[in-house]
Amino acid sequence: MNDTALGEFDLIRRYFTAGAHRHTRTSLGIGDDCAILRPQPGFDLAVTVDTLVEGVHFLAGTDAERLGHKALAVNLSDLAAMGAQPAWVTLALTLPHVDEAWLSAFSSGFLALAKRSDVELVGGDTTRGPLSITVQAMGYVEADKALRRSGAKAGDAVYVTGSVGLAGVGLKSLLGYYDGVASEAIKQLEQPEARVQAGRELLGFAHACIDVSDGLSADLGHILDASKVGAALDWEALPLHDEVRQYIARTGDWLPPLVAGDDYELCFTMPPQHEPQLAAALAAVGTGFTRIGMIESEPGLRLLRNGQLQQLPVSGYQHFRK
Amino acid sequence: MNDTALGEFDLIRRYFTAGAHRHTRTSLGIGDDCAILRPQPGFDLAVTVDTLVEGVHFLAGTDAERLGHKALAVNLSDLAAMGAQPAWVTLALTLPHVDEAWLSAFSSGFLALAKRSDVELVGGDTTRGPLSITVQAMGYVEADKALRRSGAKAGDAVYVTGSVGLAGVGLKSLLGYYDGVASEAIKQLEQPEARVQAGRELLGFAHACIDVSDGLSADLGHILDASKVGAALDWEALPLHDEVRQYIARTGDWLPPLVAGDDYELCFTMPPQHEPQLAAALAAVGTGFTRIGMIESEPGLRLLRNGQLQQLPVSGYQHFRK
């Protein structure tokens, strides 16, 4: 469900969770990357929903094929963050008018990723209105094994797959705020790959996991809140793509790796002794990961940078905050 | 999913079903009121998704509490049409701005119906943008028992629960096209009740079922298409509310019972010998039903009215047709 921005989450919690009805077969309700449903004993189903609105989540004029890919990928990423195996998806598409070239490209991007991920589109609703795309994804996860945000423990190390801040540099480039090389950054922004196989491999190793959709500090902050712990990150350890290093060198702005969203990497915590085993498992699925800090019992998020320990605000992109 | 308007359905089928990937555990994909998923042998899950857009599905300024109720009810109605027992729902809400009074009223209408229906809200996404509401509902149905559109057989009778055309008269009243009494009609339009218990009782009796969201002729037309049969309806048999009878008497317009949508009654076909048994079962859940015609092997939809048999166009409200 990825209601990770604080403003959104506050809204949902305030109006839709207080006093809401609980179903006896729900294992985990609102508040994590996915809900976990238990239709039958011994069997769990992970469910997530995300909306992309033109002008909010993507720029007007975004290539339709890439948009189709991304609309599915961001939901697969929520399943990945729970360690679930994607299976089914529904699509609610609101369009201002019927544009056959757009529909053909959008569906082609969406369906190509679905096929590659063994995901079937099983429900749809198309409506006339301002362009927006709502995708709900469902996947399997072994009973009681789903990776929650709430399991981080002091002494765990903090890890992230791939690199951080790349999509954020891509957005700055597309918006005209940055004129350096950003081709990989734009690709990361427009065609993210959900870390589904990596999420599956994390089952049994990771104590807590989230996908980095709103920025590392905000998303790790959700783990810290849910787990009632704190963390210290080491700036030097953050995995940065060359295009991000160049961006920082040229602009002096070092914040994207911490606050920029849309990377769809997995941030997780794990006892560091599992590192060798996990390294072998993730190498087999072609995903790199990096230790970037430690979970501590003291609340809050701290960053060690240039020999200084500083408090980091736990925040990211918030739709309803100004 | 209720992609029952032909324009919408064509779109979905054309771009999103041709060549789309199938998952091995899907029992029924796109094209009925719900998809049927089979996560485990012997266990089926019905899934549906519907979007309501301001100015398309509801008038600007519609009471938020009633809108919250209706956004859930229309999805429960799709589950009812499959004979499924609702269990879980997700909500993607796009709002132009945070209006606390609106959110409070909307959530109150939504959650009250959820509680009454033993449904839990398990996922949410709130986004800034033009007002639209996408709800996905999930429910249980006994393995291989789900009521499909495709099972109607020549010799079945055609039935409908409640009455038809009432919500359509409500809409005409709200739009200022009709100045007669329409209080029950407006209530039917704004606060429809999904026929969930009736749908459960239909399992084992009905051969085919659909909910009447786009108008009786359009929705029955979907059964006829999917079942490769035709039907003849008897105008005199159509169950009409007094406000609809008055509307017809005053305006001369007799079409709403056949073409107006939003009633959310169930239209189903069944061998007529089951009538007494079903009557007892539906009486126990407080739902009336009426025989309105017969399924015939000759394709098409015919209406006997004033001694004349006329062909009815199989069409209803279509978002993308002018």
Side-chain angles (χ1 to χ4, degrees), chain B residues 213-287:
Chain B
S213 53
D214 294 320
L216 180 61
S217 64
D219 289 318
L220 176 55
H222 288 301
I223 288 182
L224 304 183
D225 283 347
S227 303
K228 298 186 172 60
V229 292
L233 298 182
D234 178 3
W235 169 259
E236 297 299 328
L238 292 182
L240 305 183
H241 189 278
D242 280 348
E243 289 183 1
V244 175
R245 292 192 187 280
Q246 285 168 31
Y247 169 86
I248 295 172
R250 288 185 54 175
T251 66
D253 171 18
W254 53 275
L255 287 175
L258 294 162
V259 305
D262 266 339
D263 279 317
Y264 300 101
E265 299 292 350
L266 298 181
C267 174
F268 58 98
T269 82
M270 180 179 77
Q273 61 267 30
H274 294 328
E275 265 183 40
Q277 264 186 284
L278 185 65
L282 290 195
V285 299
T287 301

Side-chain angles (χ1 to χ4, degrees), chain B residues 141-212:
Chain B
V141 60
E142 290 71 7
D144 293 316
K145 297 290 188 196
L147 302 169
R148 304 182 177 203
R149 298 177 181 178
S150 55
K153 291 178 174 51
D156 284 357
V158 179
Y159 301 87
V160 70
T161 60
S163 74
V164 283
L166 187 56
V169 170
L171 181 60
K172 285 178 189 290
S173 171
L174 285 183
L175 291 173
Y177 298 152
Y178 177 59
D179 62 1
V181 174
S183 55
E184 289 299 312
I186 291 169
K187 190 176 170 202
Q188 179 77 6
L189 177 71
E190 294 194 331
Q191 299 193 276
E193 285 297 325
R195 297 293 193 180
V196 170
Q197 289 178 295
R200 300 288 291 158
E201 297 298 337
L202 288 177
L203 289 178
F205 290 115
H207 280 167
C209 185
I210 194 168
D211 73 322
V212 183

Side-chain angles (χ1 to χ4, degrees), chain A residues 30-158:
Chain A
I30 269 184
D32 211 306
D33 294 282
C34 295
I36 301 293
L37 317 181
R38 184 163 295 170
Q40 285 186 307
F43 181 81
D44 285 354
L45 203 60
V47 177
T48 182
V49 61
D50 265 307
T51 297
L52 301 184
V53 175
E54 185 176 61
V56 179
H57 299 90
F58 58 92
L59 304 174
T62 294
D63 177 80
E65 186 169 352
R66 292 180 193 173
L67 191 59
H69 170 99
K70 183 165 179 175
L72 178 55
V74 303
N75 280 277
L76 297 186
S77 180
D78 281 323
L79 292 178
M82 305 298 282
Q85 178 66 44
W88 298 292
V89 69
T90 66
L91 169 66
L93 193 56
T94 303
L95 300 172
H97 59 277
V98 177
D99 176 338
E100 304 216 356
W102 190 95
L103 271 166
S104 171
F106 180 89
S107 61
S108 144
F110 189 98
L111 293 175
L113 178 58
K115 184 170 187 176
R116 189 150 55 81
S117 311
D118 190 21
V119 166
E120 179 172 351
L121 177 68
V122 291
D125 189 23
T126 42
T127 311
R128 186 191 290 271
L131 180 56
S132 92
I133 304 149
T134 295
V135 173
Q136 165 157 328
M138 287 161 279
Y140 304 102
V141 59
E142 290 71 9
D144 292 315
K145 297 289 188 198
L147 302 170
R148 303 182 178 203
R149 298 177 180 179
S150 57
K153 291 178 174 52
D156 283 358
V158 180

Side-chain angles (χ1 to χ4, degrees), chain A residues 8 51-60 131 171 262 317-320, chain B residues 94-95 126-130:
Chain A
E8 294 176 88
T51 297
L52 301 184
V53 175
E54 185 176 61
V56 179
H57 299 90
F58 58 92
L59 304 174
L131 180 56
L171 181 59
D262 265 339
Y317 181 72
Q318 297 170 18
H319 293 299
F320 285 100
Chain B
T94 302
L95 300 171
T126 43
T127 310
R128 186 192 289 276

Side-chain angles (χ1 to χ4, degrees), chain A residues 8 14-15 21 23 25-26 35 40 51 57 88 90 98 100 107 118 120 122 125-127 136 140 320, chain B residues 8 14-15 21 23 25-26 35 40 51 57 88 90 98 100 107 118 120 122 125-127 136 140 320:
Chain A
E8 294 176 88
R14 195 146 142 209
Y15 293 104
H21 180 70
H23 193 275
R25 300 203 200 180
T26 305
Q40 285 186 307
T51 297
H57 299 90
W88 298 292
T90 66
V98 177
E100 304 216 356
S107 61
D118 190 21
E120 179 172 351
V122 291
D125 189 23
T126 42
T127 311
Q136 165 157 328
Y140 304 102
F320 285 100
Chain B
E8 293 177 87
R14 193 146 142 208
Y15 292 104
H21 180 70
H23 193 276
R25 300 203 200 179
T26 305
Q40 287 186 306
T51 296
H57 299 90
W88 299 291
T90 65
V98 177
E100 304 216 357
S107 60
D118 190 21
E120 178 172 353
V122 292
D125 190 23
T126 43
T127 310
Q136 165 156 326
Y140 303 103
F320 285 99

